[in-house]
Amino acid sequence: MDRLPEKDDTPEFLALRALKLGDLLVAVPALHAIRRSRPDHRLVLAVPGWLEPVAELVGGIDVLWPTPGLDHPLGIEPGRIDTAMNLHGDGPESRGVLEQLQPRVRLGHASPGWEGPEWEDHVLERHRWARLASEHGMPADQEDIGIARPDLPSAAPGAVVVHVGAFYGSRHWPVDRFATVVRELREEGRRVVLTGSEKERPRALEVAALAGLDDEVVAADVLAGTVDLAEMAAVVADASVVVSVDTGAAHLASAYATPSVVLFGPAPPEEWGPPASGPHVVLTDASLRVGDTFGSECDPALLAVQPADVLAAAREVARSLDGIGA
């Protein structure tokens, strides 16, 4: 993906979304709308640099501007950017870093110095950003979430992907429950691969040990920490089923219409859940939700989900594609 070239006559449109993988993927409908509506602009996406492999798959992004957060200015010459759009949030921090760019046009939610729709609480995130684009004259469809498949083969085509990771402890479904799911799916004759980040590899290895996987299987099927983001996207795109808590892997499954079982804890599926049109099942108990997204303890809404629930849901979504349990 190109970096910012020397300034020329091409107007530049910068969209800010300095968050994580799932956050980028729920903004895809808005990014697609921007590209369609502003074909003459150079589209600059300000996101963390590690997301570049997936940003390339969104399509239509001309420049990735590495933005690890909002603690520092973006470092782009003031006045260069023609149009800046706040796809990050509606707080003074995100507005501030965009205002420092001194763009000709500011697009965001209604705030002092910003024209746009009023911020809505408790709405589906895909709807939030698609609505924002639409209100600013760039018609967006909140179901327009598809991204391209990576131009590389999957390390485990047709496998069940069990994603054991999550950034915060509030989404850490117990490892022994993951192990039960892995063991029973393997007993049904399915290949099951365990995914997660490099930091989550010890957790994946603990799941593998509790599931009774031997060293040969561990070497082949514990992918956590051994595949990069593009390779992870390829694994999800070609999976038979994805089992994950509410994290980036689940949003990748939505982007590829890969059947998925998504376990929700602190975040409500009404705001972050998969599209209704796909072969996806959501599991949670909203009556028990504490909602501490950044907490260290697993949310009771997630703890209420049992391995039998996950297995039944995996069989349900797979049956729709003549998979396991058919």
Side-chain angles (χ1 to χ4, degrees), residues 10 34 37 39 85 87 97 109 112 119 136 168 179 197 199 201 221 275 279 287-288 298 320 323:
T10 304
I34 294 167
S37 300
M85 186 169 187
L87 291 179
V97 297
H109 288 89
W119 179 270
H136 285 295
Y168 297 106
S197 68
K199 289 182 179 179
R201 184 168 176 80
D221 292 345
S287 68
L288 300 177
C298 186
S320 66

Side-chain angles (χ1 to χ4, degrees), residues 186-200:
R186 283 179 51 81
E187 288 175 355
E188 294 176 6
R190 303 300 299 180
R191 182 182 181 187
V192 181
V193 297
L194 304 181
T195 59
S197 68
E198 184 176 358
K199 289 182 179 179
E200 293 158 350

Side-chain angles (χ1 to χ4, degrees), residues 165-320:
F167 199 77
Y168 297 106
S170 60
R171 301 182 188 185
H172 280 179
W173 201 49
V175 290
D176 61 323
R177 300 189 191 183
F178 271 124
T180 298
V181 170
V182 171
R183 182 171 56 252
E184 294 207 17
L185 288 175
R186 283 179 51 81
E187 288 175 355
E188 294 176 6
R190 303 300 299 180
R191 182 182 181 187
V192 181
V193 297
L194 304 181
T195 59
S197 68
E198 184 176 358
K199 289 182 179 179
E200 293 158 350
R201 184 168 176 80
R203 180 172 167 84
L205 290 172
E206 184 177 0
V207 171
L210 291 172
L213 306 188
D214 61 33
D215 291 345
E216 184 177 351
V217 173
V218 168
D221 292 345
V222 178
L223 303 182
T226 69
V227 295
D228 62 24
L229 191 54
E231 292 168 331
M232 175 66 182
V235 168
V236 170
D238 287 340
S240 58
V241 180
V242 172
V243 175
S244 175
V245 299
D246 171 32
T247 189
H251 290 285
L252 276 175
S254 293
Y256 291 125
T258 299
S260 69
V261 179
V262 188
L263 289 61
F264 275 81
E270 295 80 11
E271 297 178 24
W272 291 94
S277 58
H280 311 293
V281 174
V282 166
L283 298 175
T284 190
D285 187 339
S287 68
L288 300 177
R289 180 170 294 120
V290 172
D292 183 4
T293 300
F294 309 113
S296 60
E297 298 298 323
C298 186
D299 194 288
L302 180 56
L303 282 176
V305 179
Q306 299 297 320
D309 303 322
V310 175
L311 289 161
R315 295 174 185 127
E316 176 185 337
V317 295
R319 268 196 298 270
S320 66

Side-chain angles (χ1 to χ4, degrees), residues 91-210:
E93 296 86 357
S94 55
R95 293 197 303 270
V97 297
L98 293 176
E99 288 167 359
Q100 290 172 8
L101 298 178
Q102 299 177 17
R104 183 180 65 85
V105 178
R106 302 173 182 174
L107 304 180
H109 288 89
S111 298
W114 292 72
E115 294 185 2
E118 295 292 331
W119 179 270
E120 294 178 308
D121 289 322
H122 311 303
V123 298
L124 187 68
E125 279 292 296
R126 295 192 306 278
H127 165 79
R128 183 190 309 288
W129 305 113
R131 170 178 175 260
L132 181 65
S134 297
E135 291 285 344
H136 285 295
M138 297 172 285
D141 177 358
Q142 69 181 39
E143 300 301 305
D144 180 20
I145 59 175
I147 63 175
R149 292 172 177 246
D151 188 20
L152 50 85
S154 168
V160 176
V161 172
V162 175
H163 188 79
V164 302
F167 199 77
Y168 297 106
S170 60
R171 301 182 188 185
H172 280 179
W173 201 49
V175 290
D176 61 323
R177 300 189 191 183
F178 271 124
T180 298
V181 170
V182 171
R183 182 171 56 252
E184 294 207 17
L185 288 175
R186 283 179 51 81
E187 288 175 355
E188 294 176 6
R190 303 300 299 180
R191 182 182 181 187
V192 181
V193 297
L194 304 181
T195 59
S197 68
E198 184 176 358
K199 289 182 179 179
E200 293 158 350
R201 184 168 176 80
R203 180 172 167 84
L205 290 172
E206 184 177 0
V207 171
L210 291 172

